[in-house]
Each structure stands twice: as structure tokens, then as C-alpha cells.
Amino acid sequence: MEAHDFRTFKSFAATSQLNGGDHWRLSCFENGLRIFEEDPNVAAESQQLSSSKCSSSSCKGISLIFSRPELVFKLVMDLESTRRQWDLTFDHGYVVESIDEHTDVIHLSLRKQCSTQDFCLSRCWNRDPDGSYVIVYSSVEHPMCQRTRGMSRGVMFGGWIISPFSSASALNVGKPGSRTPEWSSACLVTKVVKLQHNLWLQGVCRSGRKSLPQR
């Protein structure tokens, strides 16, 4: 994936610690997890400008995870069955082809209560100079990525941003008498998904508080 593609994803995911960006609106907030849905006015305008006539839905979750970024990155990249323990949308997945050290093609099937579609995705990842991990998914066609029986092939764009987070500035760590908190090594995790012609995101947003590991 080219550098400008990573920039496109980051721009779409545009976020801060407290809000979802200009084109996102807060859907729910519970136990430190913020769930955003794309502003319907922005989404409608985007679809009018797009050459595709398919409708789309977008959802974003942001949470502070008490673990090092590299550990969360490994967890998110894993497609083994253990992923079902924390990802309530995941049914099964596998690597179709490894392209290079930062790119592969994966097959992803979601649980039936979430979607009746499966996905063939190009998955690209990178580590930024600031220590953030960025993972980007986009739908592709691949001859070895067979459709799951009983499902139609869906179109997805999205990914993860896993950014180092330090509580030092907030808690005045470093001042005389201050103590470094146990969770000073943590990360801010953002997951963004955009699907075409699919209605499962509303349910995901409602259950999203359970879909990200809290530790």
C-alpha cells in the first residue's frame, strides 16, 4: 500500500482522545469506550460524490487499552479462533497470500448475527515513527479467496490505529513527590469500519463496548 493510502485511512479515521472528528457523531459512551457513527449528512454527501451507487455505513470505536502497543498489534493481527474471545463480530479468517513483510490478503467471515457477507481483504500495516501501528483493510479480488457457502461477498474499508499513550502529562509525573502510575504504558486504540450496502453496523455499535479487549 502506498503512503497516500495510509494517509487516506488516517484522514477518514480522524480522531482525538476526546472526540471523533468533524464527520463523526458520538453514538454511545460506556466504560471508557466511545462508539461513533458517521454523520449521516456527511455520509450522504460522500455517496453523492462517489461513482458507486451502493449505500454504505461507517462505525468507529475508541478505547484506552492497558497494554503496550506491540502486544495489542499482535492481538489484532491474529486470525486464530481465540480471537472470538474478544472480537464478538469475528467468526473465522485466514491468510490467503503473503505479499511482502507489510502486506497480505486475508479472508474474513463475520458471525451470522452481524452479517451475511464474507470479505476478501488486502491487509497492510505499518509502524509510524511515533510508535503507532496502523492496519488498513480494503476489499480486493483474489482467485484463492473462496466465498463462504451461504454468504455473499461484501465490500469493506477500514482498519486500526494503535497509538502509544502516556498518562505522564495528565498526572504531572516527573514532579517532586510524584509517582509513575502502573498504566503509564498504555495505548489508545481506534477501530474504523466502512461497509457498502450492509446494515449490521447498528448492532455492532450497540455491542461495541464488548468488542475491544480492555486489558
Side-chain angles (χ1 to χ4, degrees):
M1 176 172 284
E2 300 294 335
H4 70 270
D5 294 319
F6 279 104
R7 290 197 297 269
T8 297
F9 170 69
K10 289 180 180 179
S11 177
F12 176 64
T15 184
S16 70
Q17 295 177 15
L18 298 178
N19 60 68
D22 293 338
H23 59 286
W24 297 97
R25 60 181 179 85
L26 185 65
S27 176
C28 66
F29 176 43
E30 186 172 339
N31 296 328
L33 176 61
R34 294 174 174 85
I35 298 293
F36 296 88
E37 295 177 82
E38 192 173 19
D39 187 296
N41 296 324
V42 176
E45 180 180 353
S46 175
Q47 289 169 23
Q48 289 175 359
L49 297 176
S50 172
S51 60
S52 171
K53 295 183 180 180
C54 295
S55 61
S56 62
S57 301
S58 303
C59 185
K60 174 169 66 173
I62 306 174
S63 183
L64 182 65
I65 305 298
F66 296 93
S67 184
R68 298 194 304 274
E70 60 270 22
L71 297 180
V72 176
F73 171 74
K74 291 179 180 178
L75 183 70
V76 168
M77 290 290 289
D78 185 18
L79 295 175
E80 298 295 328
S81 59
T82 52
R83 186 187 183 101
R84 292 171 56 92
Q85 297 175 7
W86 61 269
D87 187 345
L88 299 183
T89 69
F90 178 80
D91 187 71
H92 66 273
Y94 61 89
V95 176
V96 176
E97 181 182 6
S98 295
I99 307 301
D100 57 40
E101 61 180 1
H102 291 286
T103 310
D104 60 17
V105 176
I106 64 171
H107 177 267
L108 178 66
S109 291
L110 305 178
R111 300 190 189 189
K112 291 184 178 180
Q113 61 266 37
C114 294
S115 177
T116 57
Q117 296 179 326
D118 69 351
F119 303 88
C120 182
L121 302 171
S122 170
R123 180 175 65 171
C124 306
W125 59 92
N126 191 30
R127 187 177 186 272
D128 289 346
D130 67 354
S132 296
Y133 291 89
V134 182
I135 306 169
V136 181
Y137 304 117
S138 57
S139 287
V140 294
E141 295 183 2
H142 194 286
M144 296 175 59
C145 191
Q146 300 299 314
R147 185 178 302 172
T148 302
R149 179 176 298 181
M151 288 189 169
S152 60
R153 182 55 50 89
V155 177
M156 177 189 295
F157 175 72
W160 300 77
I161 301 176
I162 306 165
S163 303
F165 182 88
S166 174
S167 63
S169 58
L171 299 184
N172 298 316
V173 173
K175 288 187 175 181
S178 64
R179 299 176 58 187
T180 301
E182 294 181 358
W183 52 274
S184 61
S185 179
C187 56
L188 195 67
V189 178
T190 301
K191 180 182 181 180
V192 184
V193 178
K194 186 180 185 71
L195 297 181
Q196 284 192 352
H197 194 57
N198 201 298
L199 301 178
W200 72 280
L201 282 170
Q202 184 176 358
V204 173
C205 287
R206 286 198 300 266
S207 63
R209 65 182 68 91
K210 303 177 183 178
S211 298
L212 286 171
Q214 295 300 308
R215 294 190 180 275

